[in-house]
Amino acid sequence: MNPKHTADSPTAPGRAAATALPALSRRGFLRLAAGAIALACAGGCRFGAPSASRQADKPIQLVYQDWRTDWFPPMAQQMLNEFHARQPDIRVFYTPDPEDLEEQMPRDMAAGTAPDVFAGCCGFFPIWAQKGYCLDLRPYVEAHLDPATITDWDKAQYEWFFRRDGLQFGLPKYHGALALYYNLDLFDQAGVAYPTADWDHDDYLEAMKRLTRDADGDGRTDQWGSMIDISWDRIQMHVNGWGGHLVDPLRPTVCLMDRPEAMAAMEWIRARMWDDKVMATSRDVEIVPTRQAFAEGRLAMVEDGSWSLKEILSKAQFRVGVAPFPAGPARRVTLASTDGFGIYANTRHREAAWALLEFLISPEYGRAMARANFLQPARASLIAEWAEMIRAEFPEQSRNLDLPVFADGHLKGYSVTAEVFADMARAKQVTDAAWRRIFELGEDPVDLMANVCSEIEKGRASSQEGGGFGRKVFE
């Protein structure tokens, strides 16, 4: 997942690698889109329907937008060569995400200049769907995907790509899963037993306390027990472990962040950061990404996902271990990422866009992402291959790494995905501001969440129940 669109995630803007194939600059993409709009408007501006005709000797042109990290564009271009060989009547132009993806994409979608096929995730993908910018994929899934493909995906992840009214706005890109990374060397130095699958949050806290220390004797803490990203789905996972929710599962206009279970989970996190000071704040580690702080040896443990494996194994100068995320007082959960592929609702080439999307969710494309940056495949059937790729590249570092841990929630059915309000844009804005005061600045108690719920529910009467997500499509 990428579960978080920040500098600490695979979806984060980075330097896009130069590519020799039909990559498309932002300016070139907008010129192409503007030309398509002009052509469509000459025929009545009916964006919702596929192009009625085209010259037989010219392929359909599609724009595909995805991550701009260094490694992704070259991998995508190589795979698009294979797609062009299979589909000579379709020509795909790759363009990297704009640096301000969450703000720019809605503007492009509203203007009719969005890419035909795109990647999305986290809190912003469902916002696009709520605004009607995503094509309903159900007819294509029913016509082209067999049941074995669907059951190969994590049930929780697959169901997340549905609005509550049944519209299917995406399909899984990869399956990032959260676990607990730990520094074996620091554990050994402190004489602390390694995390196990039996750990709960009490065990987790006890280890954090023993592993937080002033390593250089200057009177200031410089090694912390653990760290968490303060983001929607990371906080939610703890809340779910306490038996609570951020959003009512049956009523997506109802806020549950002020209920006892949710408040207890958030207080547990706040107390670790500001009372015990055994969990690092972003300021403690000088605003570097959590995985970087861990790889630098500042953290004995870190709550992070499989999407961080390559960076951690490449940079860590110590033995790395990984364990299932500690169980909460009510249940064990882990986070499944919500990165997926979608199709712009106003594409003029729906069938061609589906052909591309079907290629992007194929085992071949999953393997390519796994080879390039160890992205955990969305398909359970590829997990063994993925683990072997990692062991082959990092034989020493992966010696103590229990890689199947990352697939545990998928295979055993305890994954959770980001909960989504009917008006997610507004809810996230209010919640993020409160969490910054509570967790990042330590200025307010978790009681502030009562005000957050009141603010979110002000617009409840005008929200549509159909805007919720996570339809139970398997039942």
Side-chain angles (χ1 to χ4, degrees):
M1 115 190 152
N2 173 20
K4 188 181 178 191
H5 180 65
T6 68
D8 192 22
S9 71
T11 48
R15 182 175 57 83
T19 49
L21 291 168
L24 199 59
S25 69
R26 187 87 188 144
R27 183 174 297 176
F29 163 52
L30 292 173
R31 281 201 301 266
L32 183 64
I37 291 171
L39 180 62
C41 285
C45 285
R46 295 180 61 191
F47 297 118
S51 174
S53 63
R54 65 180 178 86
Q55 295 182 18
D57 60 339
K58 290 187 177 181
I60 291 172
Q61 294 186 347
L62 297 177
V63 174
Y64 160 43
Q65 179 177 292
D66 212 325
W67 295 344
R68 60 184 298 113
T69 50
D70 286 351
W71 64 271
F72 196 89
M75 179 280 302
Q77 294 288 2
Q78 183 177 1
M79 293 304 296
L80 288 176
N81 278 342
E82 296 186 21
F83 177 77
H84 292 146
R86 300 181 193 181
Q87 299 278 0
D89 292 336
I90 303 172
R91 192 66 172 171
V92 180
F93 293 85
Y94 181 89
T95 186
D97 287 334
E99 300 224 21
D100 55 344
L101 174 67
E102 295 184 47
E103 293 75 29
Q104 185 60 46
M105 274 292 279
R107 292 195 287 263
D108 291 345
M109 289 169 160
T113 58
D116 300 278
V117 179
F118 51 81
C121 85
C122 319
F124 56 87
F125 199 178
I127 291 172
W128 303 343
Q130 286 173 339
K131 293 181 180 295
Y133 295 142
C134 300
L135 185 68
D136 188 358
L137 302 180
R138 283 177 302 173
Y140 301 94
V141 170
E142 291 167 2
H144 299 282
L145 297 187
D146 58 68
T149 295
I150 295 172
T151 57
D152 208 14
W153 289 321
D154 188 320
K155 176 182 175 180
Q157 185 185 44
Y158 180 73
E159 289 181 347
W160 188 84
F161 295 106
F162 283 80
R163 289 195 330 201
R164 196 168 295 275
D165 62 4
L167 183 143
Q168 185 172 10
F169 62 92
L171 287 171
K173 177 179 180 178
Y174 77 103
H175 186 285
L178 207 76
L180 189 67
Y181 288 87
Y182 58 96
N183 182 326
L184 279 79
D185 294 352
L186 294 182
F187 270 74
D188 287 349
Q189 291 169 19
V192 178
Y194 301 149
T196 70
D198 297 325
W199 261 28
D200 59 21
H201 273 64
D202 291 337
D203 300 310
Y204 187 22
L205 174 56
E206 180 60 28
M208 279 193 276
K209 289 179 176 178
R210 295 180 61 187
L211 289 158
T212 299
R213 56 190 292 258
D214 171 13
D216 58 12
D218 65 355
R220 294 182 298 177
T221 299
D222 41 33
Q223 177 185 303
W224 288 266
S226 191
M227 188 173 181
I228 177 178
D229 270 320
I230 302 304
S231 63
W232 187 271
D233 35 26
R234 308 295 179 90
I235 300 292
Q236 179 206 308
M237 191 175 70
H238 283 267
V239 169
N240 293 157
W242 258 254
H245 294 277
L246 304 183
V247 187
D248 190 313
L250 300 178
R251 297 173 296 168
T253 59
V254 177
C255 176
L256 299 183
M257 287 186 270
D258 59 351
R259 303 300 168 87
E261 298 85 0
M263 297 276 275
M266 286 186 271
E267 171 58 18
W268 190 91
I269 298 169
R270 189 211 61 79
R272 304 296 77 80
M273 299 171 74
W274 293 100
D275 296 349
D276 302 336
K277 299 187 184 299
V278 295
M279 274 189 134
T281 68
S282 59
R283 291 187 175 186
D284 287 333
V285 296
E286 300 160 303
I287 322 295
V288 302
T290 53
R291 61 174 174 257
Q292 180 179 333
F294 176 72
E296 291 173 353
R298 302 196 210 184
L299 311 172
M301 297 174 282
V302 70
E303 301 178 14
D304 212 334
S306 56
W307 53 86
S308 296
L309 265 168
K310 190 157 193 174
E311 182 173 341
I312 288 174
L313 294 180
S314 298
K315 294 181 177 180
Q317 300 299 308
F318 51 81
R319 295 171 299 144
V320 177
V322 66
F325 194 76
R331 59 185 289 214
R332 180 180 297 281
V333 297
T334 187
L335 184 68
S337 63
T338 50
D339 291 78
F341 297 110
I343 297 175
Y344 180 40
N346 289 340
T347 180
R348 297 178 61 244
H349 305 290
R350 293 185 177 185
E351 297 296 332
W354 168 257
L356 174 59
L357 192 149
E358 194 170 12
F359 175 74
L360 298 178
I361 63 170
S362 68
E364 293 84 357
Y365 207 79
R367 289 187 183 100
M369 290 189 289
R371 282 193 298 269
N373 208 55
F374 295 168
L375 285 194
Q376 181 180 335
R379 297 168 182 259
S381 58
L382 297 181
I383 293 299
E385 289 183 51
W386 168 72
E388 284 307 309
M389 292 176 191
I390 297 168
R391 297 194 191 285
E393 188 165 340
F394 290 94
E396 291 303 316
Q397 280 285 60
S398 64
R399 186 185 303 277
N400 300 296
L401 213 54
D402 187 6
L403 291 168
V405 159
F406 289 109
D408 203 51
H410 181 172
L411 300 177
K412 296 180 181 177
Y414 63 84
S415 298
V416 297
T417 53
E419 298 173 1
V420 180
F421 280 100
D423 185 355
M424 188 62 181
R426 184 167 175 273
K428 190 171 184 300
Q429 181 181 35
V430 175
T431 305
D432 285 349
W435 282 348
R436 183 172 186 273
R437 294 182 63 85
I438 294 169
F439 299 116
E440 295 182 11
L441 302 178
E443 294 178 347
D444 283 288
V446 297
D447 295 349
L448 184 62
M449 300 313 295
N451 296 342
V452 169
C453 279
S454 295
E455 185 66 26
I456 289 172
E457 293 188 356
K458 278 183 181 178
R460 180 169 163 182
S462 60
S463 296
Q464 297 297 315
E465 291 292 330
F469 291 79
R471 180 182 178 223
K472 298 299 183 184
V473 296
F474 285 86
E475 299 172 357

